[in-house]
Amino acid sequence: MTSNHSILFEQDEPSSEQKDLVEISKKVCVEEINAILKEKKHQIATALKVCAHCTLCADSCFLYRSKEKVAEHMPSHKFITSIGVIYKKKGKVTMEELYEMRETLWKRCVLCTRCSCPLGINIPELLAIGRRILRSQGVYHSYSEN
Amino acid sequence: MSLYQIISGPMVWTSFLLFIAGTIFQIIKLYPFIKQSTTRLNAISYSSVNREKTTTANNKKIFTKKLFRHLPDFNSLIYKFAMLKYSLFGRYPLTIFVTTLFHLLLIFSPFMVLGHNILFESALGVSFPSLSSEFSTILTFIIILCCLYFLIRRLTVPLVKSITTSSDYIMLAIAAAPFLTGFMAHHQIFNYTVMLHLHILSGEIMLISIPFTKFIHMIYFIITRVVLMNNGLRIKELKI
């Protein structure tokens, strides 16, 4: 840690990638994540149980329709790969995984709440819970500071 | 006691009992969640919805009338028909058609097979109207075709492939097995007794797995659509 910091301070402006490298070396607080998971247990468990992996929610996402139609922009893919993974691992995720989820939760979703699931899963709520968990660990989308 | 007597006697009742008990257990388990979300909804609706209704309802009406005066009548049948292409059916016509057909037949066709109704009559003294042998064969064949469609969709469409897990294939197999074995037993394609035993066993496995696996969407579907989705929609309305 100390060596990383000294490298950072020697340079004029640390790039965002270097910042991320320092952040990744931090440890995840499993208790904090589990406290949020416990509070929202019913929402997450029900959604993961009910989701039949039908992929009919894909076309309701404007990002999926406007960008190249890749699976990463599908609402169900977003919540299964973010909050679904955290829930299945019971909060025991690494910082690297959280940084990967940050891409999904901030860059691939704007929480416009327009996605609709034929089975009635409230996908935006799940993604919001995911954002909350990531924010509790200090992982969030930072806008350009320049 | 022969194998047939065991799987068609006590095991059937056990599976029915497990199905009913499991269903009740799962609904009770979800009850605090339903209560929590409805109380939250009430809290929101009393504070802001009513106020909004009384103060801005008229303004909103005039505003929308002026804003959309060049648009067609939204409640007209022609408009609704034109909007069909933006619905789920308009987007995925084949999948929606196959899914609807599959789910309707999966639930209702087992009650309309003559063989099942004879068993119902002898066990409970109640029976449902039966279909002819040929017609139920066609229905079973349609279900198997639907299952094949789902399997091919899972294997080929990249979007579906991206979130498919091994459990999805197991679920599909459990759902298809009673119909496939029933079809084979009825037409005596393979050994009749083996197929009949497999048919009863797979039916029992499916019944038990409904409340404890991903099949739970059969029960939770109603709750999530009626209670929780409406809740979400009302919160959406507030943001407008």
Side-chain angles (χ1 to χ4, degrees):
Chain A
M1 279 298 283
T2 48
S3 62
N4 274 340
H5 276 293
S6 62
I7 292 164
L8 270 176
F9 287 124
E10 274 167 24
Q11 288 173 348
D12 293 329
E13 278 183 7
S15 67
S16 60
E17 282 176 10
Q18 278 174 327
K19 266 185 185 176
D20 283 356
L21 276 173
V22 176
E23 294 292 317
I24 283 168
S25 60
K26 280 183 183 173
K27 275 191 177 176
V28 177
C29 182
V30 182
E31 288 80 27
E32 264 181 9
I33 296 177
N34 277 336
I36 301 167
L37 284 181
K38 201 182 171 188
E39 191 191 320
K40 302 284 180 186
K41 193 186 157 196
H42 289 298
Q43 272 104 318
I44 305 163
T46 315
L48 289 174
K49 266 185 199 168
V50 170
C51 180
H53 298 171
C54 65
T55 70
L56 295 179
C57 56
D59 254 6
S60 68
C61 180
F62 80 93
L63 278 170
Y64 171 82
R65 287 176 63 179
S66 59
K67 294 200 172 193
E68 66 277 16
K69 297 192 171 182
V70 285
E72 280 78 30
H73 284 110
M74 182 169 60
S76 59
H77 189 276
K78 286 178 212 169
F79 89 79
I80 290 166
T81 52
S82 57
I83 190 79
V85 173
I86 299 173
Y87 183 80
K88 275 178 190 163
K89 288 190 175 178
K90 293 173 183 172
K92 287 167 191 161
V93 282
T94 58
M95 233 4 159
E96 279 175 331
E97 281 173 312
L98 289 184
Y99 270 86
E100 276 169 27
M101 284 168 202
R102 184 182 74 168
E103 297 297 303
T104 311
L105 290 170
W106 269 278
K107 286 196 175 171
R108 292 175 196 140
C109 178
V110 295
L111 287 187
C112 68
T113 70
R114 275 183 284 176
C115 48
S116 67
C117 166
L119 288 163
I121 300 169
N122 196 345
I123 300 167
E125 193 175 358
L126 292 163
L127 295 174
I129 298 166
R131 280 190 181 192
R132 199 180 140 192
I133 290 171
L134 260 65
R135 234 185 256 115
S136 76
Q137 301 305 311
V139 182
Y140 45 83
H141 180 68
S142 52
Y143 296 93
S144 176
E145 287 157 7
N146 299 325
Chain B
M1 216 177 199
S2 68
L3 183 68
Y4 177 78
Q5 278 174 323
I6 295 167
I7 59 169
S8 64
M11 269 187 77
V12 174
W13 292 115
T14 318
S15 54
F16 265 108
L17 210 69
L18 275 171
F19 166 65
I20 294 162
T23 308
I24 294 166
F25 170 72
Q26 294 290 0
I27 291 170
I28 291 169
K29 215 175 133 190
L30 200 68
Y31 184 72
F33 176 35
I34 299 165
K35 211 179 166 186
Q36 182 195 334
S37 53
T38 43
T39 45
R40 190 185 59 185
L41 171 71
N42 286 340
I44 296 164
S45 59
Y46 279 117
S47 62
S48 55
V49 169
N50 289 346
R51 206 189 312 142
E52 195 187 272
K53 263 182 195 170
T54 49
T55 53
T56 58
N58 268 332
N59 292 346
K60 225 177 178 181
K61 243 184 199 174
I62 295 159
F63 177 72
T64 43
K65 239 186 183 178
K66 275 188 177 176
L67 189 68
F68 300 116
R69 62 184 182 279
H70 58 284
L71 287 176
D73 181 13
F74 289 112
N75 293 323
S76 70
L77 251 172
I78 299 161
Y79 177 77
K80 276 177 185 167
F81 191 72
M83 281 292 121
L84 197 71
K85 70 173 178 183
Y86 298 113
S87 69
L88 213 55
F89 180 73
R91 287 274 156 200
Y92 310 95
L94 184 64
T95 310
I96 295 294
F97 177 73
V98 172
T99 326
T100 314
L101 194 70
F102 171 74
H103 283 91
L104 283 174
L105 291 179
L106 189 79
I107 294 164
F108 294 111
S109 70
F111 293 107
M112 294 174 179
V113 178
L114 186 66
H116 292 180
N117 273 327
I118 292 164
L119 290 170
F120 275 130
E121 184 74 52
S122 63
L124 304 165
V126 193
S127 66
F128 302 94
S130 304
L131 298 169
S132 67
S133 165
E134 292 81 23
F135 195 63
S136 30
T137 307
I138 293 165
L139 293 186
T140 317
F141 194 66
I142 291 170
I143 291 180
I144 295 163
L145 282 181
C146 290
C147 285
L148 265 178
Y149 171 79
F150 291 136
L151 183 68
I152 292 164
R153 193 167 168 265
R154 283 224 176 278
L155 287 169
T156 54
V157 180
L159 202 64
V160 191
K161 237 165 130 182
S162 71
I163 52 167
T164 299
T165 51
S166 52
S167 70
D168 291 318
Y169 292 113
I170 297 166
M171 292 294 103
L172 198 58
I174 292 173
F179 295 93
L180 196 66
T181 47
F183 184 80
M184 284 167 93
H186 184 75
H187 293 274
Q188 306 195 351
I189 291 172
F190 193 59
N191 190 342
Y192 173 73
T193 38
V194 173
M195 277 299 139
L196 188 69
H197 283 62
L198 281 175
H199 175 65
I200 300 167
L201 261 176
S202 56
E204 284 160 0
I205 289 168
M206 190 184 170
L207 210 57
I208 295 167
S209 62
I210 286 172
F212 304 106
T213 57
K214 258 191 189 296
F215 282 129
I216 205 162
H217 69 253
M218 185 177 152
I219 307 155
Y220 277 3
F221 165 71
I222 304 157
I223 302 167
T224 46
R225 270 304 281 260
V226 176
V227 184
L228 307 177
M229 199 180 179
N230 276 352
N231 183 3
L233 285 177
R234 281 195 211 172
I235 289 166
K236 267 184 202 173
E237 278 170 20
L238 285 172
K239 285 177 183 169
I240 295 164

